Amino acid sequence: MSEKIYPGFDIGGTKIGIGLISESGKFIAGERIDNVNTKPEDILPRLVTIVKKMIAENNISTDDIPAFGVSTPGPADIPNGIITAPPNNPYWRNVPLLKYLEDNLEIKGYFENDANAAAIAEGYFGAGKGTKDYIYLTMSTGIGAGIVTNGTLVQGTGFYGGEFGHTILHRNGRQCNCGLKGCYEAYCGGRAVADDLRRKLADKTESRIMQIAGSAENIDMKALAQAVRENDPFALEYWDEMIQNNAQAMGSLINIMNPAKLILGTFVWATGDLFLAPLKKYIVNYAWKEMLDQCDIVPSQLRQDIGYYAGSAVALYNTEKNA
Ligand SMILES: [Zn+2]
């Protein structure tokens, strides 16, 4: 009997990843296409063409494809498979992506937000393998959580569960894009950190961060991390404060869920111990020792390839759940 194959789509703000992954996690095919200012009427038929071509080129019988999956950024209507209003693309408004793909591929499809999809992907194919209680944090432009408890994804009554980036760390604190003030994401999300650094370094050309970035508009988490490695005093202090904010948020999450693993995405796997070592030092102030002892805090294993696995994992997870 041949392995079942799960096509996956990862809808990102700048790229769309399309992957064919087997149930055991074998990477069969993958392609990334640009998604900057695209129009759905152009891109949707391309997604169908690409995945059909991948299926044909790899001699896969449609009998061996139980379902496909989609990983999407918010805001989205998850149960109905509709992308409502992605932040970076004015042309995508209320796009019924799931139905379009189901109709044109004639395969059953499933839809999930990107943090949840990444969490399931790490669970099947990455750092979460073998554990039934774990949490994935996206740690990218924004911060989102995919929470898996006793093998089940926490979705909540309206499928908003896991918006942990909008937990308030500081009462009346920094304004967040979501409308609230003092959110975790407003202090530790990639976009918010870059904006804050730009404000603080506006005319400080002598700053190492500014020199590394080249210009204010290129300031990002990467430039900050590099300045920390070079022992820039401002960067060291900023990083330390940011890590303490992360420790506070993550400690609360560990106290609530008692996970066996906390898996950290993008800028944590990119910075490694620069982030993890101080985090582990500070987090003892925010979570019970018993639960910290039971929780491995680790970087994502799928790293930049997670997009290829995320959609497929959504398909695999829902197919198993509905079996
Ligand atoms: Zn917020």
Side-chain angles (χ1 to χ4, degrees):
M1 212 182 77
S2 52
E3 266 205 289
K4 297 294 183 206
I5 308 296
Y6 295 90
F9 300 89
D10 178 52
I11 314 296
T14 57
K15 299 267 178 196
I16 295 180
I18 305 135
L20 283 190
I21 306 290
S22 81
E23 62 192 312
S24 68
K26 204 164 82 196
F27 177 89
I28 294 162
E31 193 174 331
R32 276 194 179 106
I33 60 172
D34 280 330
N35 190 31
V36 177
N37 282 321
T38 54
K39 295 188 173 135
E41 57 268 35
D42 299 328
I43 213 101
L44 267 47
R46 273 186 76 197
L47 297 181
V48 170
T49 308
I50 289 169
V51 83
K52 277 187 169 166
K53 191 163 156 254
M54 284 177 178
I55 292 167
E57 281 175 355
N58 290 283
N59 299 314
I60 296 162
S61 156
T62 45
D63 293 344
D64 290 326
I65 306 178
F68 70 86
V70 179
S71 161
T72 177
D77 176 348
I78 297 294
N80 295 308
I82 297 169
I83 296 185
T84 46
N88 302 318
N89 190 327
Y91 300 110
W92 288 58
R93 287 290 176 271
N94 298 315
V95 178
L97 183 63
L98 187 67
K99 183 164 176 0
Y100 180 89
L101 292 173
E102 280 186 332
D103 288 351
N104 287 279
L105 293 171
E106 297 180 322
I107 300 170
K108 170 81 187 146
Y110 295 100
F111 214 63
E112 196 46 79
N113 80 51
D114 47 10
N116 285 352
I120 308 170
E122 288 285 348
Y124 279 116
F125 310 124
K129 245 186 193 172
T131 72
K132 288 167 81 182
D133 293 276
Y134 66 92
I135 298 166
Y136 176 86
L137 289 179
T138 53
M139 310 301 292
S140 181
T141 323
I143 295 176
I147 300 170
V148 175
T149 183
N150 196 24
T152 301
L153 189 63
V154 173
Q155 289 174 306
T157 190
F159 296 86
Y160 289 109
E163 286 294 356
F164 183 64
H166 305 282
T167 298
I168 309 300
L169 291 190
H170 302 280
R171 196 151 54 93
N172 295 320
R174 231 177 256 170
Q175 182 67 48
C176 181
N177 282 338
C178 77
L180 297 175
K181 278 183 180 164
C183 293
Y184 172 28
E185 182 175 301
Y187 288 84
C188 298
R191 184 182 294 137
V193 165
D195 286 346
D196 187 50
L197 286 171
R198 267 190 285 274
R199 276 191 298 269
K200 291 191 167 126
L201 299 173
D203 36 65
K204 298 194 173 64
T205 44
E206 76 280 8
S207 146
R208 195 60 199 121
I209 298 172
M210 194 78 113
Q211 288 164 357
I212 291 165
S215 68
E217 66 187 41
N218 289 331
I219 287 178
D220 59 5
M221 194 66 89
K222 238 179 169 166
L224 171 63
Q226 185 53 37
V228 173
R229 283 190 201 95
E230 295 177 17
N231 292 316
D232 173 70
F234 172 85
L236 282 169
E237 198 187 322
Y238 193 94
W239 188 259
D240 187 73
E241 185 63 29
M242 188 188 78
I243 298 286
Q244 292 194 55
N245 279 318
N246 274 290
Q248 181 182 343
M250 291 176 191
S252 304
L253 193 54
I254 288 171
N255 275 352
I256 295 167
M257 298 309 299
N258 188 199
K261 276 195 177 163
L262 180 61
I263 305 165
L264 304 175
T266 312
F267 58 70
V268 180
W269 64 251
T271 55
D273 268 347
L274 195 69
F275 187 100
L276 286 168
L279 177 81
K280 288 176 184 175
K281 182 183 84 182
Y282 286 126
I283 204 166
V284 298
N285 299 320
Y286 301 101
W288 280 11
K289 185 180 183 306
E290 292 85 341
M291 287 193 268
L292 283 174
D293 287 347
Q294 292 166 352
C295 182
D296 272 341
I297 304 175
V298 296
S300 154
Q301 248 175 38
L302 298 173
R303 299 167 68 115
Q304 68 268 41
D305 289 332
I306 201 155
Y308 287 134
Y309 290 89
S312 301
V314 168
L316 177 54
Y317 174 78
N318 283 287
T319 302
E320 284 185 352
K321 211 172 74 176
N322 295 332

